[in-house]
Amino acid sequence: MASLAERWGIHPDQYWLYGRPVEEPVRFDEEMDAWHICGHAEVLEALSRPDAFSSETIKLVPMGAEESYTEGDLLQTDPPDHGALRKLAARAFTPRVVADLEPRIDALARELLDAVDGQDEFDLMSALAYPLPVTVVTELLGIPASDRHLFERWMTGMVEEMGDLSLADSAEDQEATFGAAMDHMRRMLDYLRDHVAECRRAPRDDLLGGLIAAELNGRRLTDNHIVNFAKMLLIAGYLSTTMLIGNTVLALDHFPEVAARVRADRSLMPGLVEESLRYLSPVAATYRATAADIELGGKRLTPGKMVLVWFGAANRDARVFPDPMAFEPSRSPNPQLGFGRGIHFCLGAPLARMEGRIALGRLLDRFPEIRTDPDKPPAFMAAPDTTGVTSLPVRVTR
Ligand code: HEM
């Protein structure tokens, strides 16, 4: 049987998805002027050394980004500032907060599926996988429902533009691509700035209200901190969850015997979500900047270079995952790296797991059969550091 990647032609650069083993766990790419880290052990080592692998990668982009875009963004912050900011952010994601969201997410999933009930064919992404996570994250931020579509547009626009950004391009080309992505970003930031100002005028008891009242190192957060924090949640929490839902449906379609097992035994659901994150990791890669002389995987890395840390490749490492091409929800242990590792480990992981479990559970409850449509293949995200679909036409039975 052809692999899932071959069947749909997913990013050929991510050759590990086609079953080809990674030959060099750490490799320098002359054309990109960047390192690739692909081995599971090597990825873990890099993520455990924020002193040598800095998250403040924006400094390596030729035009550089203004400080004002990154302050308050955990994903662009190194220790020691990262620790204090993360502690503050973690208050928004206590197990209690996440558990309280469950009935709302469940109701949302049902409502969205009600809207396609009666149809034999629909696009899974626009029916469920886009609207569910964007609703959850915008509700967390207290953004009115009527403005939700704006975020869908800005976020997908940004991801698509950044997908065209290649470190191998000339500085001018990089600047043009980056500029186009930043246009979407600026519109989103302008909106969030007005929204934060509104929250200051009329204080409220929600996540943003909490941040407005909170202190970081003894000082109140600035509007810019809060705006960037909200931007980070939108970037980190929305499309990755969308991709998780789409990817799992795609995998269940490709492995119908697994779908039958999961339908018969719902206790496999949490394992299904973990295996989906391993098999088709939405955040296929993250970025770091070398900040010290360091040896990794037998190579010498020097400061000031971009590093692509490939979760997707590490998740197919046969040294850690026996039979990595098999899609096995009962795989145990399953030390998949889809949520990253170390100090930047995904803060929203419990929420994302719950959203995935509920969305997929409701789908399986509603439709006894869900299959891809051979006449309408799924379309994949263009960004080479993501693995996920933008459209996924399905045929269902009721
Ligand atoms: C960080 C993946 C959903 C919030 C990360 C990282 C990964 C990741 C790989 C680490 C990035 C790095 O080390 O550079 C995912 C995936 C998700 C998901 C695959 C869905 C399936 C969410 C959700 C939220 C969220 C729903 C919140 C609404 C965050 C935050 C960070 C983060 C705040 C930054 C943590 C830090 O830097 O300390 N995520 N994420 N994520 N994620 Fe998620």
Side-chain angles (χ1 to χ4, degrees), residues 283-336:
V283 181
T286 191
Y287 296 83
R288 295 290 188 267
T290 52
D293 279 306
I294 185 163
E295 195 172 311
L296 185 71
K299 304 282 168 66
R300 271 227 83 74
L301 283 67
T302 52
K305 292 287 179 210
M306 191 65 95
V307 181
L308 283 88
V309 183
W310 286 101
F311 301 124
N315 280 338
R316 298 289 182 117
D317 189 334
R319 295 175 296 177
V320 176
F321 302 102
D323 196 4
M325 292 292 281
F327 184 72
E328 183 43 72
S330 49
R331 187 181 285 279
S332 177
N334 185 354
Q336 60 84 14

Side-chain angles (χ1 to χ4, degrees), residues 9-289:
I10 312 182
H11 295 307
D13 288 353
Q14 294 183 28
Y15 59 86
W16 43 84
L17 298 180
Y18 290 72
R20 268 178 53 210
V22 168
E23 280 165 18
E24 278 186 290
V26 178
R27 178 176 73 84
F28 188 67
D29 183 334
E30 298 282 349
E31 204 185 326
M32 281 182 82
D33 192 26
W35 288 92
H36 296 275
I37 305 183
C38 292
H40 193 275
E42 293 76 12
V43 165
L44 285 184
E45 197 177 335
L47 296 179
S48 70
R49 291 284 313 269
D51 57 319
F53 293 94
S54 162
S55 287
E56 297 179 8
T57 53
I58 204 83
K59 290 181 181 156
L60 291 188
V61 180
M63 44 285 173
E66 297 163 37
E67 170 78 354
S68 62
Y69 286 137
T70 54
E71 66 170 3
D73 180 346
L74 281 169
L75 287 163
Q76 279 289 333
T77 307
D78 285 333
D81 291 350
H82 175 266
L85 194 61
R86 174 139 178 148
K87 221 186 247 166
L88 202 62
R91 285 200 216 151
F93 291 98
T94 59
R96 176 72 200 275
V97 170
V98 174
D100 284 352
L101 287 170
E102 180 154 9
R104 172 66 185 136
I105 297 173
D106 194 57
L108 258 173
R110 287 174 195 273
E111 227 173 81
L112 290 166
L113 290 176
D114 283 347
V116 287
D117 216 0
Q119 296 181 26
D120 298 330
E121 306 178 7
F122 57 88
D123 174 25
L124 183 95
M125 303 313 282
S126 51
L128 179 70
Y130 275 110
L132 183 76
V134 77
T135 306
V136 172
V137 74
T138 49
E139 283 186 3
L140 266 174
L141 292 170
I143 289 165
S146 52
D147 291 344
R148 214 169 280 146
H149 65 283
L150 296 171
F151 287 87
E152 199 164 325
R153 194 182 325 138
W154 292 326
M155 292 290 304
T156 44
M158 218 150 56
V159 169
E160 290 301 305
E161 295 294 351
M162 287 305 270
D164 291 338
L165 182 69
S166 165
L167 296 175
D169 286 347
S170 67
E172 297 78 56
D173 286 352
Q174 284 190 44
E175 201 157 339
T177 312
F178 195 72
M182 289 308 275
D183 280 346
H184 293 287
M185 169 88 92
R186 248 174 243 118
R187 271 179 227 128
M188 185 164 93
L189 290 174
D190 286 345
Y191 180 101
L192 291 172
R193 229 177 292 286
D194 289 345
H195 182 57
V196 170
E198 183 55 40
C199 295
R200 271 202 202 280
R201 272 194 296 275
R204 39 209 244 190
D205 183 23
D206 63 4
L207 191 146
L208 286 189
L211 284 177
I212 287 169
E215 289 188 350
L216 182 67
N217 300 328
R219 300 226 304 267
R220 284 289 172 91
L221 297 180
T222 62
D223 274 11
N224 200 46
H225 262 109
I226 300 170
V227 165
N228 283 330
F229 183 86
K231 170 207 75 179
M232 172 199 66
L233 275 196
L234 284 155
I235 291 179
Y238 164 28
L239 288 179
S240 44
T241 314
T242 296
M243 288 189 267
L244 165 67
I245 297 169
N247 290 350
T248 313
V249 171
L250 206 55
L252 289 176
D253 170 72
H254 195 72
F255 296 98
E257 71 294 350
V258 174
R261 270 171 55 212
V262 175
R263 281 183 183 280
D265 177 5
R266 292 300 181 86
S267 71
L268 288 173
M269 210 51 133
L272 172 69
V273 169
E274 294 312 292
E275 182 65 345
S276 173
L277 288 162
R278 182 190 76 84
Y279 206 78
L280 296 172
S281 314
V283 181
T286 191
Y287 296 83
R288 295 290 188 267

